[in-house]
Amino acid sequence: MAARQVIVSGARPTGRLHLGNWHGALKNWVRLQQEHECFFFIADWHALTTSWEDPVGIEEATVEMVLDWLAVGLDPDRCTIFQQSAVKEHAELFLLLAMVTPVPWLERNPTYKEQREQLTDRDLSTLGFLGYPVLQAADVLMYRATAVPVGIDQAPHIELAREIARRFNHAYRPIFAEPQTLLTETPKILGTDGRKMSKSYDNAIYLTEPAADVDRKLSRMVTDPRRARRTDPGVPDDCPAYVSFHRIYCTSDELRWQEEGCRTAGIGCLECKKVTIRHVLAELAPIRARRESLTAADARAVLEAGNARARRVAAETMAEVRAAIGLP
Ligand code: SF4
């Protein structure tokens, strides 16, 4: 991306963040804030679309997450960090965009179908869940986003936001930019049990947990099952630790040594992992130190300032939107 873009992205309040979150989104955000105008928000209303029956802990999770954002290097002087529910204009824009959004556009959304099939323990037969891509459209169009960083699974939502913007612009007045999808190539981070790293699987390595815990978890992480004994050779590509961690953290010389040692059973798994663990700990040390220097009051102050800034932009957008429709 050459020109300065307006970037908007959010995340549901899930509390403490892990290495999957870091490599999946945050690292990219920290880079984007250097060159673009960025709005990063806690998507607490989005959390309700799938967890409306159990809203407990949103406030605490919000504070924890903002503290982790600050710890990894999101800088409130370079980006706007805010909480979705603190900017009520998002709800108004959601409502007005809902007026122009045909229901079949939402019903054909692939994640709508997938999640209804997968999350069978929840009641997702709600208008809120069906309409959450409209809320996402409101979130990004509000700030005239020109680019939205997403993983491939979220790309259809940005396409939908573009279609909604087009329909609104055509019906009333061309107010909204059509945001481009900024596809983020992210490495696949597996948890210590070899499944996708996730808090709910209890297999995550958190950004701010003590070094000894990170060391212990990674030391015990599953590897290629062929290496049941020290003398059994393995295949690095079939090793979750190799795929998720060695490849990301190790130098090319180290990788060569690990591959060779794995295939020939010249090294043991722990010996192999120790090299990677050293790099992971070195990356996490400054994040942990910064996190320890921050308090909940810091997170709240950042949110207060960010909310005020987001509200100013949102108020300007909504004044134009209302005028275009002919509303007071
Ligand atoms: S030696 Fe290294 S790459 Fe091979 S299975 Fe063990 S941890 Fe994985």
Side-chain angles (χ1 to χ4, degrees):
M1 282 187 305
R4 186 170 164 84
Q5 306 278 338
V6 179
I7 306 251
V8 180
S9 198
R12 295 179 182 203
T14 53
R16 285 198 305 159
L17 298 175
H18 52 64
L19 281 170
N21 304 124
W22 168 233
H23 291 287
L26 283 176
K27 209 170 187 173
N28 191 36
W29 290 7
V30 170
R31 203 173 48 236
L32 288 168
Q33 69 172 350
Q34 310 296 337
E35 291 170 21
H36 303 287
E37 181 173 6
C38 293
F39 294 84
F40 298 125
F41 66 97
I42 306 285
D44 49 357
W45 279 339
H46 279 287
L48 292 175
T49 62
T50 50
S51 306
W52 58 270
E53 289 162 299
D54 184 23
V56 179
I58 288 182
E59 183 57 33
E60 194 188 334
T62 296
V63 168
E64 287 290 319
M65 203 153 99
V66 169
L67 288 173
D68 276 1
W69 284 4
L70 298 173
V72 298
L74 282 189
D75 178 353
D77 290 333
R78 287 185 173 272
C79 65
T80 303
I81 296 173
F82 71 97
Q83 188 170 7
Q84 183 187 34
S85 65
V87 186
K88 308 296 184 207
E89 286 83 352
H90 285 237
E92 185 184 0
L93 187 55
F94 163 71
L95 176 85
L96 296 175
L97 295 179
M99 302 299 174
V100 305
T101 306
V103 172
W105 287 8
L106 302 172
E107 287 172 332
R108 72 173 188 231
N109 167 22
T111 48
Y112 174 69
K113 292 183 201 151
E114 267 167 38
Q115 293 208 320
R116 286 201 66 181
E117 280 162 19
Q118 285 167 10
L119 304 177
T120 47
D121 58 328
R122 303 174 199 186
D123 176 9
L124 297 183
S125 60
T126 60
L127 179 61
F129 184 64
L130 176 67
Y132 84 86
V134 184
L135 183 56
Q136 276 187 331
D139 297 334
V140 299
L141 297 181
M142 183 73 83
Y143 304 93
R144 326 285 176 107
T146 54
V148 182
V150 288
I152 188 83
D153 56 324
Q154 291 283 308
H157 292 184
I158 307 308
E159 181 54 40
L160 194 57
R162 268 202 300 276
E163 285 175 20
I164 294 172
R166 226 173 283 145
R167 200 165 157 102
F168 181 98
N169 289 345
H170 181 72
Y172 304 110
R173 197 185 296 165
I175 288 182
F176 297 118
E178 288 182 30
Q180 297 306 306
T181 306
L182 193 58
L183 268 189
T184 316
E185 280 216 20
T186 52
K188 191 175 177 190
I189 300 294
L190 300 175
T192 49
D193 59 1
R195 294 185 291 172
K196 184 183 177 208
M197 187 176 286
S198 162
K199 200 173 220 176
S200 48
Y201 292 154
D202 195 22
N203 65 1
I205 293 166
Y206 293 94
L207 296 180
T208 51
E209 67 185 314
D213 292 354
V214 175
D215 190 331
R216 182 177 45 78
K217 285 184 178 180
L218 281 174
S219 297
R220 291 182 188 165
M221 181 168 182
V222 294
T223 60
D224 178 5
R226 293 181 189 86
R227 299 223 61 192
R229 285 170 306 215
R230 168 70 176 76
T231 48
D232 295 332
V235 177
D237 281 344
D238 291 339
C239 167
Y242 182 88
V243 174
S244 276
F245 289 96
H246 303 347
R247 254 197 208 138
I248 296 177
Y249 283 95
C250 293
T251 65
S252 46
D253 282 350
E254 288 165 343
L255 278 176
R256 261 194 302 278
W257 173 80
Q258 286 167 318
E259 279 177 29
E260 161 87 15
C262 183
R263 290 183 196 284
T264 60
I267 57 172
C269 283
L270 190 58
E271 192 182 356
C272 176
K273 287 177 182 170
K274 284 294 177 196
V275 174
T276 308
I277 291 171
R278 221 176 38 237
H279 290 300
V280 176
L281 292 179
E283 182 178 55
L284 294 184
I287 295 175
R288 197 169 41 243
R290 183 155 162 70
R291 178 70 157 79
E292 279 165 12
S293 72
L294 295 164
T295 65
D298 295 316
R300 291 201 179 93
V302 164
L303 280 176
E304 206 174 304
N307 291 343
R309 156 129 182 75
R311 272 188 218 116
R312 278 198 296 279
V313 179
E316 283 170 23
T317 302
M318 289 315 298
E320 274 192 60
V321 168
R322 287 183 213 115
I325 301 176
L327 295 169

